Amino acid sequence: MKLTATALVAAIAASLLTVPTASAATRTPQDSLRDRVNAVMETGTVGALARSTGPRGHRSATAGDLDTATGEAVRPGDRFRIASASKTFVATVVLQLAGEGRLSLDDTVEDWLPGVVAGNGNDGGRITVRQLLQHTSGLFNYTADLPVLATVDGFEAGRYTTWTDEQLVAIAMRHKPDFEPGTKWSYSNTGYILAGMIIKKATGHSWQQEVTRRIIEPLHLRSTSAPTTETRIRGRHLHGYSDFGDSGATIDVTEFNPTAAGAAGAMISTTADLTRFYQALLGGHLLRPAELKAMKTTVPTPDLDVVWPGAGYGLGLMRIPLSCGGAYYSHPGDFPGYTTRDGVSADGRRVVVLATTGDGAADLSTEHAQNKLIDGELCA
């Protein structure tokens, strides 16, 4: 059963009767992280898991249920669907290929995928690889017209369906472009499906194979995977829960055919593995300086100001201002029932990763609590 904010507060209050509280003078960083995780839980999430890493080591905090059917508690090493945080992995592979001279960020989609982006005013000859990764292509976001992600009934009917990349792009091609390529910014998962297709065309291997060979295996990310059609999450994992915008009863959404997300968001990981990935990426171990600079070069994202004021988007990586000055890099991940939030310093030495399950609050209070956790840990 979903734990309500009221019930959670009552449970915390009861625990304080038997567990001594830390005074402000003796409160540890672990207490602060746990407090911030509890603040996220109070907005209505089912489970939460955070890991904060810096020069002095790492610490983790958890709260809530791994599985509401069993009441089993969340643990630090649990796996989860990272959704759009997958985009940073995919962008990294594309930028590696650019660094190797196997493609150019200024190549057009038509150069690599002739005839795929066409019709209804869509023209792959006017869209570059850079614009796909940057969300400035103007292409319609196919997930906005995908019933499996829209309602409880739609999800139940299509959760095990296998999609091809071509089918997903075809959904977008039924719609006119949102704007002329390069003139605005608007988040479009379609761009990353196309990026995955370009990886396959350039290498002869799927984006899953290239992410595995180039990132997962060299970094020993043993709990990270880029699945194809497998609907289960292997190993111990968080269960996701959603009512898809109050479209029906809350259901367990854990089992899902990831082909509907593809290179835009199919991956599975843990907070420890994501930490290792971001440390390697921002630490300069995965990309050459020129490609890392391109990834970190952002454009304004006014659409995101309501959640991340002043944020900018690069190539598979966001730059978000810190309350204490400076900025951090990040890529959020959102899938019905799962949310991933992360923050990493420019040099990769400090990383915070947060995973939550359930839909959270109908307003922005869950988003704000998640952002406060990331900001608070990086500013501590």
Side-chain angles (χ1 to χ4, degrees):
M1 184 172 69
K2 187 173 180 178
L3 188 62
T4 65
T6 302
L8 179 63
V9 171
I12 293 172
S15 72
L16 295 180
L17 296 177
T18 56
V19 181
T21 60
S23 68
T26 61
R27 181 164 294 181
T28 66
Q30 180 72 41
D31 293 325
S32 298
L33 182 59
R34 187 175 296 111
D35 290 343
R36 291 174 178 130
V37 166
N38 287 338
V40 173
M41 284 293 296
E42 288 171 11
T43 68
T45 56
V46 175
L49 164 57
R51 181 184 178 97
S52 183
T53 303
R56 291 180 292 179
H58 73 269
R59 56 191 184 277
S60 294
T62 65
D65 292 336
L66 171 98
D67 181 350
T68 58
T70 65
E72 192 170 2
V74 177
R75 294 181 187 172
D78 293 337
R79 300 179 187 187
F80 49 89
R81 297 192 185 279
I82 69 171
S84 285
S86 306
K87 289 180 172 68
T88 312
F89 287 80
V90 173
T92 298
V93 171
V94 174
L95 286 163
Q96 286 180 343
L97 293 172
E100 294 163 9
R102 300 174 71 174
L103 58 77
S104 168
L105 295 177
D106 296 320
D107 289 344
T108 68
V109 176
E110 187 68 14
D111 289 335
W112 287 100
L113 306 171
V116 172
V117 174
N120 286 321
N122 296 288
D123 183 356
R126 301 175 60 199
I127 299 170
T128 66
V129 174
R130 186 190 309 274
Q131 289 166 344
L132 296 180
L133 301 182
Q134 195 179 57
H135 297 295
T136 55
S137 70
L139 292 171
F140 177 82
N141 181 13
Y142 81 91
T143 56
D145 189 17
L146 195 64
V148 70
L149 299 180
T151 65
V152 170
D153 288 346
F155 185 84
E156 294 278 37
R159 68 190 304 172
Y160 299 115
T161 299
T162 296
W163 294 82
T164 67
D165 291 338
E166 290 78 9
Q167 288 174 320
L168 298 179
V169 173
I171 292 173
M173 295 303 102
R174 297 201 297 250
H175 300 264
K176 294 180 180 180
D178 294 332
F179 50 82
E180 290 292 313
T183 62
K184 295 181 181 179
W185 184 92
S186 184
Y187 198 85
S188 177
N189 288 298
T190 308
Y192 275 78
I193 299 299
L194 289 163
M197 294 171 71
I198 290 171
I199 288 172
K200 185 172 183 178
K201 195 69 175 289
T203 66
H205 305 122
S206 69
W207 71 267
Q208 292 99 327
Q209 291 172 312
E210 289 298 311
V211 163
T212 300
R213 183 177 72 86
R214 292 168 174 268
I215 301 174
I216 294 175
E217 290 178 348
L219 295 182
H220 305 291
L221 307 181
R222 295 184 176 87
S223 297
T224 299
S225 60
T228 53
T229 61
E230 185 173 11
T231 61
R232 298 180 304 111
I233 301 177
R234 296 188 183 187
R236 187 185 152 92
H237 58 273
L238 303 180
H239 283 240
Y241 302 91
S242 181
D243 63 13
F244 294 82
D246 201 26
S247 67
T250 297
I251 61 171
D252 187 321
V253 298
T254 309
E255 289 194 8
F256 175 71
N257 188 318
T259 56
M267 291 182 66
I268 294 164
S269 192
T270 63
T271 56
D273 276 7
L274 284 176
T275 296
R276 183 186 290 268
F277 166 63
Y278 283 119
Q279 286 175 323
L281 177 62
L282 275 297
H285 302 296
L286 292 176
L287 294 175
R288 299 177 184 182
E291 282 67 51
L292 183 57
K293 181 180 178 181
M295 176 179 258
K296 294 166 68 175
T297 300
T298 63
V299 296
T301 56
D303 294 355
L304 302 182
D305 279 348
V306 66
V307 177
W308 295 285
Y313 198 98
L315 306 182
L317 201 63
M318 288 172 59
R319 184 180 187 274
I320 301 171
L322 281 166
S323 64
C324 53
Y328 66 93
Y329 291 91
S330 173
H331 203 296
D334 293 276
F335 179 83
Y338 290 94
T339 300
T340 300
R341 295 291 181 266
D342 43 60
V344 52
S345 61
D347 60 3
R349 298 184 66 198
R350 302 195 68 181
V351 183
V352 185
V353 180
L354 167 67
T356 61
T357 56
D359 292 329
D363 59 15
L364 293 176
S365 57
T366 300
E367 293 278 6
H368 292 158
Q370 291 167 336
N371 291 347
K372 285 182 180 178
L373 185 150
I374 302 292
D375 185 88
E377 288 297 311
L378 292 176
C379 284

